[in-house]
Amino acid sequence: MRAAPLIVHTAGAYQGPSSATLLEIEARVAALESFDRLLRDRSEAVRREDGIHYAEILPGLEVWRALYDRGSGFPPDLQRALGSILDRTQMLDDSDLAATPPIAQTGLWPPAGRFVCDELEWLAFRRDTLVDCGVTPETFCKQVATIFPSLVLSSEFPKCLETLEGGFEMFMPVVVRALTALETRLLPTLGNLPIVDGLKQFTAASGFSTTMEGSAERNEALTFAFGSDQAQRRLVCAPHMKLDTSPMSGDTRHYYNRIYFNPHQDDPDAVRIHVGHVGCHL
């Protein structure tokens, strides 16, 4: 299992373009402050490169002068804000890199390579790297609340993941892609469409065949419990995505794996999608 992802403030992300202006830096520092708070609230591993202070944040103005030279002309409020972010960020060292963690850069300007500077970009990075980290079903479920904030898992988890034909480890890339589609595409695609028509649109948008269960007689088997014992809610999850192709090159076997979910289309204020089961066909 690889190390958890790292977010790194890099020198390249503080090297301003020749067209950089103080007004632009003000906006970028404000956005970086907000992103830094999010990362710390989520207990993300964040580091900074040693060479950041020698990058030119403005043409001819190095970061160290902008932050610590009172005669630099850099506004005191920006000195405090940017200095606070960098000073409380641990320095990157060899031990951080020993396990070759997935890395995304952050800072003021996007350099070459993966760059994240807001919540949506960070979530996309975490989803992309989840597979590389090789987590267990238990750890996977714990991370869902963070990286798939619109999804709610039933009490079937993590046990149901062990029923995946082909195994959880092999199908994990497919599961992550499917859950990402649920998280980012389902509700906008469904809109006010009838559920059957909406799922057809979602099939085209997600690349996963998604349909309703054909018989109401199956509702009992597709009813799942959500929440704690004190506030438990039971929901029918009749819509389902078909995970029938493995990610392994040359594997032509047809797999009968499913994701059963409830999009709460009857509730216009709903923003959560309840996922009852990820595993074998029920």
Side-chain angles (χ1 to χ4, degrees):
M1 183 169 67
R2 291 180 67 184
L6 271 180
I7 308 293
V8 180
H9 292 264
T10 61
Y14 285 81
Q15 182 70 36
S18 59
S19 60
T21 65
L22 193 56
L23 187 63
E24 182 182 11
I25 288 178
E26 288 178 354
R28 290 179 179 271
V29 169
L32 186 61
E33 273 192 298
S34 177
F35 185 49
D36 183 67
R37 283 194 297 271
L38 179 143
L39 294 176
R40 295 179 189 282
D41 288 345
R42 305 292 176 85
S43 301
E44 282 293 277
V46 184
R47 301 289 187 270
R48 63 179 170 91
E49 283 185 345
D50 187 34
I52 284 178
H53 288 85
Y54 298 102
E56 290 191 358
I57 193 170
L58 285 170
L61 181 63
E62 296 172 317
V63 170
W64 72 267
R65 286 187 53 228
L67 294 183
Y68 307 118
D69 183 353
R70 293 184 178 181
S72 68
F74 205 65
D77 57 335
L78 290 185
Q79 288 180 329
R80 287 190 295 269
L82 190 56
S84 176
I85 292 171
L86 294 178
D87 289 345
R88 64 186 178 185
T89 301
Q90 184 177 328
M91 191 76 73
L92 181 71
D93 61 31
D94 291 341
S95 64
D96 294 316
L97 304 175
T100 62
I103 290 176
Q105 302 173 79
T106 195
L108 299 179
W109 287 276
R114 189 72 181 258
F115 179 76
V116 295
C117 64
D118 60 31
E119 183 174 13
L120 290 180
E121 291 177 347
W122 169 70
L123 287 172
F125 168 65
R126 287 299 309 272
R127 292 170 192 144
D128 290 346
T129 58
L130 183 60
V131 175
D132 295 334
C133 293
V135 298
T136 64
E138 292 77 12
T139 301
F140 176 83
C141 292
K142 290 178 181 177
Q143 294 194 20
V144 164
T146 297
I147 61 178
F148 297 107
S150 296
L151 305 185
V152 181
L153 302 184
S154 77
S155 60
E156 297 286 308
F157 289 85
K159 193 69 176 176
C160 63
L161 294 171
E162 299 174 6
T163 71
L164 284 161
E165 287 188 10
F168 172 72
E169 184 175 354
M170 184 177 82
F171 255 85
M172 186 178 173
V174 182
V175 170
V176 170
R177 281 196 299 111
L179 293 181
T180 299
L182 280 181
E183 170 79 24
T184 61
R185 294 177 178 267
L186 179 66
L187 296 182
T189 302
L190 291 182
N192 295 320
L193 292 172
I195 186 65
V196 173
D197 295 337
L199 293 180
K200 287 179 180 178
Q201 295 290 331
F202 179 65
T203 293
S206 68
F208 291 93
S209 176
T210 307
T211 60
M212 291 291 291
E213 180 58 44
S215 172
E217 295 178 358
R218 298 256 296 130
N219 282 357
E220 183 176 351
L222 303 180
T223 298
F224 303 93
F226 295 87
S228 64
D229 292 338
Q230 293 76 22
Q232 195 173 84
R233 184 180 185 186
R234 295 182 63 79
L235 296 171
V236 177
C237 296
H240 55 278
M241 304 174 75
K242 299 175 181 178
L243 315 184
D244 49 20
T245 304
S246 87
M248 306 301 291
S249 177
D251 186 355
T252 60
R253 174 184 167 187
H254 184 93
Y255 291 84
Y256 292 90
N257 291 318
R258 300 288 188 268
I259 296 180
Y260 294 88
F261 61 92
N262 185 321
H264 299 289
Q265 200 185 24
D266 57 342
D267 180 358
D269 297 322
V271 293
R272 309 295 296 277
I273 300 162
H274 285 71
V275 181
H277 174 88
V278 176
C280 65
H281 183 276
L282 296 177

